Amino acid sequence: MHPLQCVLQVQRWGPLASMSWVLLRTCRAHSSVHGTTCPSPEKQQEDGVRKDFSSRLAIGPTFQHFLRSALAPQEKPDVEDPPPYLTVDELSGRQRKVYLETYGCQMNVNDTEIAWSVLQKSGYLRTRNLQEADVILLVTCSIREKAEQTIWNRLHQLKALKTKRLRSRVPLRIGILGCMAERLKEEILNREKMVDILAGPDAYRDLPRLLAVAESGQQAANVLLSLDETYADVMPVQTSPSATSAFVSIMRGCDNMCSYCIVPFTRGRERSRPVASILEEVRKLSEQGLKEVTLLGQNVNSFRDSSEVQFNNAVSTSLSRGFSTNYKPKQGGLRFAHLLDQVSRVDPEMRIRFTSPHPKDFPDEVLQLIHERDNICKQIHLPAQSGSSRVLEAMRRGYSREAYVELIHHIRESIPGVSLSSDFIAGFCGETEEDHLQTVSLLREVQYNMGFLFAYSMRQKTRAYHRLKDDVPEEVKLRRLEELITVFREEATKANMASVGCTQLVLVEGHSKRSTTDLCGRNDGNLKVIFPNVEMEDVNNSEVKVRAQPGDYVLVKV
């Protein structure tokens, strides 16, 4: 799509303490049942000890204390003891240089920053020069076959680099991180012997150990999925020092189990970060001068922080009208509306976005908050995937076309001028020509500002792989995809033409890629705006002429 052209801290009792308390309490109960009338000196000594213990027990922790401690998120130590087969020195990076390449979604961008944060603390250095790298790590995507083929091709290129490595230098190590490592596991190690390490999305803390094992000439892998890993205590290191915006991961995994989607199998079940840790990260980003934060999650608006015990008996999750879930309703926890409210209060001058949401999780309180809060962008990504109710049922999306369209109308009534974007899949299992035409008509009816459209790619492990037939020929998929793209572009052009003549607030990102005399930025609706790099009036001093810099807000007439 073409860009818009413009004119201008609590004390804790450790596990050993709690175990001792339970054992001693059991001993006390046992003694009272088996008491004697003529105590021996030893018995009298025991009674003294018992009385002393009883007095200490009275002022000690209660059962509720241990219950709260068990439920509270446990802080991970900054430095963990090394495994018995590795020394601290072997775990150290010893200033070896790491080259990171990122493929796929925004979550992978954030994962790259997390992985680098872990490695940096272990003594590794970052390089942007592939030729001088000692370690090359690819953060991969597995959502479609094409994404994986890109990685296989890249590994073929890197094989030559590894083969030509001078013996006088440290051996080059290559690692596959993220979803592809999780999905294919040993297949990668068997197929490409030049791959030294595998790390799934929940194993980035283990990277120093994996690399240390690889130094012995062995392949190393950790693709275990976690029920609680959120990297809440790992502060991501921004990969671009001049960036004006940042991604903040608030939850990981997905429970929706849509029939076509591999995400639940590569990133595991849903779990959310504590609100406090998210707010701390956003505050630090604000202090660094960043002007925009995007809250990230595979199903970002299903966020549910259950780390605070007092909120765990709250009401069930409220869904959008006409929507259902593939899992039992979840209760309690601090919800997305609460988080969004708190994040937006950190810095009124910082824009807040979120992606990627599921249409089912847009209760009225979220929409009202977006409407009322100036720094929450009036832009919503609403993945439809198809315009056919029959196909949506096969996809296990939890809604019909009619419910989706009703939600669109409700959103536009609640947030006037909202910018909408969506995802669509062409040629899903069993999709007929009539189903395809219904998707075309939905594109025309809604008139999205942005869209992400793809031909269906069947993934192993998914419900569709086991229960449905990938029966739409590839050429038909591609033809339907082209038709969807054409219609989308036509309707998006009409939608964006409504901005002509309007003055919009644009966050400057830098120079335009196509012209050194132009700058580019994004408006509230996340549309790219191109405008001349000329001197302009400073809003704080009308007599001073300045040139816009990355991170500045500029009023631009489209």
Side-chain angles (χ1 to χ4, degrees), residues 251-308:
M251 57 90 67
R252 301 176 74 85
C254 182
D255 289 346
N256 287 321
M257 301 298 290
C258 298
S259 62
Y260 57 84
C261 189
I262 192 65
V263 168
F265 303 96
T266 59
R267 287 190 171 266
R269 305 301 296 270
E270 285 181 13
R271 62 271 190 202
S272 300
R273 281 177 64 178
V275 169
S277 74
I278 298 169
L279 295 178
E280 179 186 4
E281 184 173 341
V282 173
R283 287 191 193 99
K284 289 183 178 179
L285 292 170
S286 175
E287 291 167 0
Q288 293 170 17
L290 273 76
K291 296 297 181 67
E292 183 180 274
V293 159
T294 301
L295 306 180
L296 288 182
Q298 267 78 29
N299 193 22
V300 68
N301 54 341
S302 72
F303 176 87
R304 188 173 63 95
D305 173 17
S306 57
S307 64
E308 299 287 343

Side-chain angles (χ1 to χ4, degrees), residues 13-47:
W13 290 61
L16 183 59
S18 61
M19 180 178 72
S20 301
W21 179 78
V22 174
L23 290 175
L24 288 170
R25 182 128 188 187
T26 304
C27 291
R28 180 187 178 206
H30 180 78
S31 299
S32 63
V33 174
H34 297 87
T36 60
T37 54
C38 299
S40 63
E42 292 82 1
K43 182 64 175 175
Q44 290 177 338
Q45 185 176 1
E46 286 180 14
D47 289 342

Side-chain angles (χ1 to χ4, degrees), residues 42 55 126 237 310-311 325 332 358 372 382 445 470 544 554:
E42 292 82 1
S55 62
R126 181 81 180 268
V237 177
Q310 64 267 37
F311 296 110
T325 67
H358 190 287
E372 294 177 351
L382 212 64
E445 181 177 354
D470 187 9
V544 177
V554 178

Side-chain angles (χ1 to χ4, degrees), residues 304-536:
R304 188 173 63 95
D305 173 17
S306 57
S307 64
E308 299 287 343
V309 179
Q310 64 267 37
F311 296 110
N312 281 345
N313 294 320
V315 296
S316 299
T317 303
S318 177
L319 301 177
S320 305
R321 288 191 290 271
F323 288 69
S324 62
T325 67
N326 293 322
Y327 51 81
K328 294 180 180 179
K330 301 176 182 180
Q331 295 185 343
L334 295 171
R335 305 295 300 162
F336 184 65
H338 173 86
L339 174 68
L340 196 57
D341 172 52
Q342 294 299 303
V343 168
S344 67
R345 294 175 185 272
V346 171
D347 182 354
E349 299 298 318
M350 175 184 275
R351 276 181 172 174
I352 308 300
R353 303 186 188 277
F354 57 90
T355 199
S356 178
H358 190 287
K360 67 178 173 59
D361 291 309
F362 275 107
D364 288 347
E365 54 265 32
V366 171
L367 301 178
Q368 183 178 352
L369 184 63
I370 296 172
H371 172 61
E372 294 177 351
R373 207 58 54 85
D374 290 337
N375 64 331
I376 301 179
C377 292
K378 309 303 180 279
Q379 178 252 328
I380 293 179
H381 185 59
L382 212 64
Q385 307 301 356
S386 174
S388 163
S389 293
R390 192 187 70 82
V391 174
L392 289 171
E393 183 178 3
M395 289 179 166
R396 303 182 83 226
R397 291 291 289 171
Y399 55 85
S400 64
R401 175 195 175 109
E402 292 72 25
Y404 181 88
V405 171
E406 182 182 343
L407 176 62
I408 291 284
H409 293 322
H410 183 51
I411 288 175
R412 285 182 163 154
E413 291 171 357
S414 303
I415 313 170
V418 66
S419 173
L420 295 177
S421 59
S422 191
D423 297 340
F424 286 94
I425 296 173
F428 183 66
C429 305
E431 183 189 75
T432 64
E433 201 63 28
E434 176 58 29
D435 294 324
H436 167 63
L437 292 176
Q438 289 183 40
T439 302
V440 171
S441 69
L442 182 64
L443 283 167
R444 295 200 184 278
E445 181 177 354
V446 177
Q447 210 169 73
Y448 299 95
N449 299 88
M450 290 184 291
F452 305 89
L453 301 89
F454 304 94
Y456 175 61
S457 175
M458 181 170 273
R459 308 276 73 197
Q460 291 182 6
K461 295 185 180 180
T462 63
R463 187 183 181 93
Y465 178 81
H466 291 290
R467 303 194 180 191
L468 301 177
K469 185 178 180 181
D470 187 9
D471 54 0
V472 179
E474 193 64 27
E475 61 272 18
V476 175
K477 289 181 183 178
L478 296 177
R479 189 257 301 168
R480 291 177 182 174
L481 175 61
E482 285 301 318
E483 291 177 4
L484 294 181
I485 291 174
T486 299
V487 172
F488 159 72
R489 285 178 172 164
E490 291 173 356
E491 299 305 318
T493 300
K494 295 176 187 177
N496 293 331
M497 283 297 291
S499 299
V500 174
C502 298
T503 299
Q504 300 192 353
L505 187 64
V506 175
L507 176 60
V508 182
E509 295 180 340
H511 283 95
S512 169
K513 292 182 179 178
R514 297 187 179 182
S515 172
T516 57
T517 60
D518 289 328
L519 295 175
C520 74
R522 292 186 182 271
N523 65 6
D524 190 80
N526 206 28
L527 293 173
K528 185 175 287 187
V529 180
I530 311 296
F531 57 97
N533 182 13
V534 297
E535 289 187 341
M536 58 192 75

